[in-house]
Amino acid sequence: MTWALLQFLLISRIPVRSEGVSDSTGLVAGTNDEATTRRLTEIYEAIYDGAESFLRAEYTICAWFVAAFAIVVFVLVSWGTGWDFARGAFTALSFVLGACTSILSGYLGMKVAVYSNVRTTVSAQKSGWKSCFNVAFRAGAVMGFALCGLGIFMLYVTLLAFRVHYPLPEDWIYLTECITGYGLGGSSIAMFGRVGGGIYTKAADVGADLVGKVVHGIPEDDPRNPATIADNVGDNVGDVAGMGSDLFGSFAESTCAALVLGSSIGISGGWDAMVFPVAVSAVGIFVCLLCSFIATDLRPVRAEKDVEMSLKVQLISTTILMIPAVYGAAESFLPQEFMLKATVGNQVLTLQPWHAFLCVSMGAVGGLIIGLITEYYTSHSYKPVRELADSCKTGAATNMIYGIALGYKSAIVPVLVLAIVVYGSFKLGDMYGVSLAAIGFLSNLATGLTIDVYGPVCDNAGGIAEMAELDPYVREKTDALDAAGNTTAAIGKGFAIGSAALVSLALFGAFVTRIRHASSDELFQNGVNMLSPITFSFLIIGGMIPFAFAALTMKSVGTAAMQMVLEVQRQFDEKPHLLDANPTERPDYDACIAISTKASLKEMVPPGALVILTPLLTGIFFGVYAVSGLLVGALVAAVQLAISMSNSGGAWDNAKKYIEKAGPDSELKGKGSDIHKAAVVGDTVGDPFKDTSGPALNIVMKLMAVLSLVFADTFYACNGGAGVFML
């Protein structure tokens, strides 16, 4: 957190002051353009006010939800544990702490991103690339290091506080069960943040693109477009605040799963051995901190071609350095031999530090491979996206067909990698090994978040440059920074989806462990029988949930986008002079912001209710075998749907950018051509794919699993796990 503060102080030293451009040199002339400075400040304040008002409204709803659901957690957990009010209270308290930490993380990310985007624009006016890149990168670092530091600090302090009530190693199973509420709180807020923010940003983006670029042919982020401020606000509330809450939830859930699965380690290995998963995340922060110097100081960005490589080096270097760092942590925190009770059966496994080290390393390397495969399918530096751009020559329909096929194809290798990581880590350390692999995926979370936030900051910087009517050179620089950010954001989503799959599987293993403990090994001693009629039936239902969720979120974006399109077109019809080259009147930006805000707050409720209520009602009415099928079905369907949707959307976006870089005399004809319009249609459809439904499917997997884990004792208390209906 200290490092995050230092990065913020470096950003704050940059004044919001436009610098004129010298015609003779093309570089900074050093004079202050007061009119442009006032315009920059206006735009910055409008984006800030829009993001602030939306998050305030969203988090007010979330606060009411947290207060109400904390009571539900307290009552149901207390009842399920034989009216053990201490466990009920501790679980509810950890739920509230997780939710509050997630809210704080998202809000902090939004504030930093909005504060930094205008400073990135100002820095882009200077010659060279180092200054503007470093501002955007440091903005991401504030979010990444602050979130990771805050998350680890809150989790460990909560563990120590609960340890006062559960001092004996034999009772630490109850301590770890109580701490699962922390993951549930983080994931619940992530659901609303991801869905609400995603609907907001894509409604504005789609509306602005369809009316502005396709119908009237005005550039992206043109100040004449009424939806352009709402679009830039959306980048902050969706891509920054939503992503921050999402990855915080992944960190919290993976750690909670590992603690539950490894609670028996405390008996033979002590407290240090049990909290080894937390130590891995802490070590990751220091590794990411050291590697950040590569991008800002050791190998700074000096040309456009260095941008994407610099970001990619961050991911590769942190993964490589994590391997020896994790080995050191394993040797320091784990005894030479420690005992672990198997998730299935009565076997007690004897593990050594190298087992844990290999599990974490497999996760870290697997995450990097998935990230690089994602880059291959979404970057216009490689064949798939260039083929997609070529398909636009024959219209939007062929672009859509190619893009959907690309997404499906891109799921093949990541799924195989996940399968190998699951098999290898399970053979080494049972389900505890799988949970460590999930933590390995997230071991360089600080760097992953840095790169994720970098993209929206650059996107906003370009929008501000366009709206402030700065020299085209500035927009070209920010577009180049943003193009690299799009690719690395897709890589980050690949990391997030892969980690979500492993986290969900680890949480399922923890659910089985907790049911065995609650039933004194009467249930699930020999695993889960997927051929049981109730289990298999709900496995099919679970596979349907991600599609129902995606349908709800996609339709929500479509509904809100229609309202946005009508509003933008209304303003153009009533005030046709807005489309003049130099209009004397500004559009009504507030009307578009209000549409996105109202639509997102309304439409985020049904998808959230679907994900939260489905496992809860299934467990209470149909029992633990039904929940098992539900979780497995949702996991298998969600991971592949999430990968394909995210990569299709990312590829459509970069195919459009690739065409925009082409000249009017080239085969792709460049901006404004029919080929470009076909690409814009693909990008518009891809927006909710990659920024709303696809990423939110991560949370579907995790939230259903962690909710089932928290209420496992409650489900067992309903007729011995058979549910109210006793099917």
Side-chain angles (χ1 to χ4, degrees), residues 654-694:
N654 277 335
K656 179 200 70 175
K657 284 183 165 55
Y658 183 64
I659 291 171
E660 288 175 344
K661 289 177 67 176
D665 297 328
S666 66
E667 286 187 14
L668 296 176
K669 305 299 182 185
K671 275 188 178 183
S673 64
D674 288 339
I675 296 174
H676 179 239
K677 289 181 179 179
V680 170
V681 172
D683 176 41
T684 304
V685 174
D687 277 337
F689 269 53
K690 68 181 175 65
D691 291 322
T692 306
S693 300

Side-chain angles (χ1 to χ4, degrees), residues 194 246 493 496-497 500 642 693-703:
R194 254 303 186 197
D246 180 5
K493 285 168 188 166
I497 294 167
S693 300
L697 286 169
N698 302 344
I699 306 168
V700 172
M701 291 183 266
K702 298 179 296 181
L703 183 53

Side-chain angles (χ1 to χ4, degrees), residues 124-316:
Q125 290 183 290
K126 300 176 181 177
S127 61
W129 292 79
K130 180 179 177 180
S131 179
C132 53
F133 173 84
N134 282 3
V135 173
F137 185 83
R138 284 178 172 137
V142 175
M143 174 71 163
F145 288 96
L147 183 146
C148 292
L150 181 64
I152 292 174
F153 175 76
M154 291 295 295
L155 178 60
Y156 194 67
V157 167
T158 306
L159 283 169
L160 291 176
F162 289 178
R163 187 184 176 188
V164 174
H165 187 76
Y166 297 113
L168 300 177
E170 292 78 9
D171 293 333
W172 288 347
I173 179 67
Y174 303 116
L175 184 155
T176 59
E177 288 177 358
C178 291
I179 207 68
T180 55
Y182 189 77
L184 176 60
S187 199
S188 298
I189 299 303
M191 168 60 70
F192 292 117
R194 254 303 186 197
V195 174
I199 293 171
Y200 186 110
T201 182
K202 292 305 114 180
D205 199 356
V206 171
D209 284 355
L210 286 179
V211 183
K213 288 194 284 189
V214 177
V215 177
H216 294 286
I218 58 178
E220 186 172 3
D221 295 315
D222 192 292
R224 295 171 290 177
N225 193 327
T228 191
I229 291 287
D231 185 11
N232 283 277
V233 170
D235 290 335
N236 296 288
V237 300
D239 296 342
V240 177
M243 171 63 85
S245 296
D246 180 5
L247 289 177
F248 167 76
S250 290
F251 155 74
E253 288 157 333
S254 62
T255 309
C256 290
L259 290 171
V260 171
L261 290 164
S263 57
S264 62
I265 293 174
I267 298 174
S268 60
W271 178 260
D272 286 352
M274 194 184 77
V275 298
F276 171 69
V278 183
V280 172
S281 299
V283 167
I285 292 180
F286 288 101
V287 169
C288 294
L289 190 155
L290 291 174
C291 291
S292 67
F293 285 105
I294 299 175
T296 57
D297 297 284
L298 298 180
R299 287 188 58 189
V301 172
R302 302 192 185 280
E304 180 180 345
K305 61 182 177 61
D306 297 336
V307 177
E308 190 170 326
M309 179 56 67
S310 181
L311 296 172
K312 198 190 305 183
V313 165
Q314 286 294 296
L315 293 171
I316 295 172

Side-chain angles (χ1 to χ4, degrees), residues 293-437:
F293 285 105
I294 299 175
T296 57
D297 297 284
L298 298 180
R299 287 188 58 189
V301 172
R302 302 192 185 280
E304 180 180 345
K305 61 182 177 61
D306 297 336
V307 177
E308 190 170 326
M309 179 56 67
S310 181
L311 296 172
K312 198 190 305 183
V313 165
Q314 286 294 296
L315 293 171
I316 295 172
S317 61
T318 50
T319 302
I320 292 172
L321 281 183
M322 271 305 297
I323 294 175
V326 168
Y327 181 80
E331 289 292 338
S332 301
F333 281 82
L334 297 173
Q336 289 307 303
E337 283 191 348
F338 55 96
M339 306 302 173
L340 176 71
K341 186 177 180 181
T343 306
V344 176
N346 294 317
Q347 184 182 5
V348 176
L349 306 174
T350 301
L351 302 181
Q352 295 177 331
W354 67 268
H355 290 99
F357 157 70
L358 285 180
C359 290
V360 176
S361 299
M362 286 179 69
V365 174
L368 178 62
I369 293 171
I370 290 176
L372 295 177
I373 291 296
T374 303
E375 182 202 20
Y376 174 74
Y377 280 102
T378 57
S379 171
H380 56 56
S381 301
Y382 302 102
K383 183 179 178 182
V385 172
R386 295 190 175 191
E387 285 184 345
L388 185 60
D390 283 336
S391 73
C392 295
K393 293 176 181 176
T394 50
T398 47
N399 182 29
M400 302 303 302
I401 294 168
Y402 265 76
I404 293 171
L406 181 151
Y408 291 156
K409 189 176 180 182
S410 70
I412 296 172
V413 175
V415 168
L416 292 175
V417 170
L418 284 172
I420 293 169
V421 170
V422 168
Y423 181 81
S425 57
F426 188 92
K427 293 294 285 185
L428 285 167
D430 201 77
M431 286 302 295
Y432 179 67
V434 175
S435 68
L436 290 181

